[in-house]
Amino acid sequence: MEIGIDSFAAILPDPATGRLPSATDRMADLLEEVETADRVGLDVFGIGEHHRAEFLDSAPAIILAAAAARTSRIRLTSAVTVLSAADPVRVFQEFATLDLISKGRAEIVVGRGSFGEAFPLFGLDTRAYDDLFAEKLDLFLKLSEETNISWYGRYRSALHGEGVFPRPHQQRLPLWVGVGGTPSSFERAGELGLPLMVAIIGGTFERFRPLVDLYRESGARAGHSPEKLTVGVHAMAFVGETDAEARDAFFPGWVHLTGKIGRERGWPPPTRQQFEAMASPEGAFLIGDPRTVAAKMLRASEALGGVSRITFQMSTASLETAAMKRSIELLGTEVAPIVRAHQMPSAHVPTS
């Protein structure tokens, strides 16, 4: 199982003082976190894409390129690129360039996005939410195959054999499809034979098993081998010296951010009781000391019929850089060895 971190470059108030760090300082801290993940042997670091004041990740390829210049082995990916609201040609060029800078360590996770801010920002109609993604994914896949491409669609101007440059260092950019809880999204990824990254940010892992089974069944019907139908999980997670310390560290940032977004969407205020339920052995939060977290990761893989990658969404924790880096160190030096000792080595993720 590959183990990594996803960050949204969240910029959250200090729980003690209420003060926000500067955006410049937060970005510097984020790059230190990527360097730490690389140093302790984690497999992948992802940067999300949002267009909100709470996050600094509106241009993930630029952040990843800066991280590429400061690391040597860790794979670098989006988490996720909102392809529906982007030009696939430009996205391909950005990540091909990232692949050149990193000497073949770039990946991309594409999705429709769980926030809607990108659509009006870039002049797109949210009523075409799914059609936009399907069409743009089709174009992106063709860009991976051909340098000079002829293509026609409804939402983007046609291509008539123009060349798309640069080409990546790798023969093909590894591409995952990021999904939430929509069955058709799981089914589409299976039909295309693309690796699946499932965002599980609440509830239980078992609740997603029927959807993961649908992905695998759809892939099998389309003629794809089981080895090609790779499943990854993106989860809320944090590692501390003790279970209590980890929960207390993560909760203030989680309740602040969840409460703010919840108010916008008409949800009731989040509570400590809800948080503790999701951090319990049955819940989907991978929060605790190294042994607790490793055990939950292995149970998550079993519940979903086997997963090839788990990435930790840690940036919701409103902590100073030293505490965040310590959690990353614990993940790489204590959690990862436990998980890897209980699993056979797996092949690298298949390319798209």
Side-chain angles (χ1 to χ4, degrees):
M1 180 194 295
E2 294 182 327
I3 300 170
I5 295 169
D6 289 335
S7 176
F8 298 163
I11 184 163
L12 299 172
D14 184 299
T17 66
R19 288 196 294 267
L20 284 172
S22 74
T24 301
D25 288 344
R26 177 67 188 102
M27 192 63 73
D29 292 344
L30 173 60
L31 293 173
E32 286 189 26
E33 291 165 18
V34 186
E35 287 182 292
T36 302
D38 185 57
R39 176 173 55 79
V40 300
L42 293 178
D43 299 295
V44 61
F45 203 106
I47 301 293
E49 181 191 338
H50 300 83
H51 302 271
R52 299 174 56 92
E54 303 92 350
F55 306 115
L56 300 176
D57 61 349
S58 63
I62 294 177
I63 301 173
L64 291 168
R70 297 170 61 157
T71 57
S72 61
R73 60 166 302 278
I74 197 166
R75 297 190 67 80
L76 300 164
T77 184
S78 59
V80 306
T81 294
V82 185
L83 191 62
S84 308
D87 179 355
V89 173
R90 196 63 175 137
V91 172
F92 182 87
Q93 291 175 323
E94 289 170 348
F95 279 83
T97 303
L98 170 64
D99 203 46
L100 297 176
I101 295 169
S102 65
K103 299 179 181 178
R105 292 186 282 131
E107 298 185 5
I108 184 167
V109 182
V110 298
R112 300 184 302 177
S114 61
F115 291 84
E117 289 83 3
F119 291 85
L121 189 63
F122 298 114
L124 297 165
D125 189 346
T126 55
R127 290 174 295 182
Y129 182 74
D130 191 65
D131 291 341
L132 279 164
F133 179 72
E135 178 176 293
K136 292 184 177 186
L137 178 59
D138 174 70
L139 174 54
F140 192 91
L141 291 172
K142 287 181 170 59
L143 291 166
S144 297
E145 296 284 350
E146 304 173 41
T147 302
N148 297 81
I149 181 172
S150 296
W151 179 91
Y152 301 87
R154 293 173 57 197
Y155 300 102
R156 190 204 183 279
S157 57
L159 293 167
H160 304 282
E162 293 89 347
V164 178
F165 304 102
R167 306 308 295 179
H169 177 88
Q170 299 172 89
Q171 184 175 358
R172 299 176 71 182
L173 282 172
L175 179 137
W176 300 67
V177 176
V179 297
T182 305
S184 60
S185 296
F186 287 78
E187 192 168 16
R188 173 167 47 213
E191 289 171 353
L192 294 171
L194 295 173
L196 184 78
M197 179 58 66
V198 189
I200 302 179
I201 58 173
T204 66
F205 294 107
E206 287 79 4
R207 183 167 65 90
F208 284 80
R209 179 61 183 266
L211 293 170
V212 172
D213 287 345
L214 174 63
Y215 161 71
R216 291 181 170 127
E217 291 161 5
S218 299
R221 285 196 302 270
H224 301 295
S225 67
E227 294 75 22
K228 192 174 183 180
L229 300 172
T230 303
V231 177
V233 169
H234 160 100
M236 306 290 275
F238 193 79
V239 189
E241 304 288 350
T242 68
D243 288 352
E245 178 187 295
R247 294 182 185 190
D248 288 344
F250 197 83
F251 177 75
W254 175 83
V255 77
H256 171 84
L257 197 55
T258 304
K260 186 177 189 306
I261 294 169
R263 286 191 296 274
E264 296 174 6
R265 300 183 178 186
W267 300 344
T271 66
R272 182 72 189 225
Q273 184 178 12
Q274 290 173 325
F275 175 82
E276 291 294 339
M278 287 185 283
S280 71
E282 295 75 29
F285 285 4
L286 304 173
I287 298 175
D289 71 19
R291 291 192 175 277
T292 294
V293 171
K296 288 195 75 173
M297 291 174 69
L298 293 168
R299 286 200 298 272
S301 181
E302 182 179 4
L304 296 172
V307 300
S308 296
R309 176 181 290 181
I310 294 181
T311 55
F312 282 39
Q313 205 293 79
M314 300 171 63
S315 61
T316 300
S318 50
L319 297 173
E320 72 278 9
T321 307
M324 185 66 76
K325 288 164 63 177
R326 177 56 180 157
S327 184
I328 294 169
E329 289 173 348
L330 289 170
L331 178 59
T333 61
E334 297 194 27
V335 176
I338 296 172
V339 173
R340 290 165 181 158
H342 283 79
Q343 293 209 324
M344 293 293 290
S346 59
H348 183 62
V349 176
T351 57
S352 60

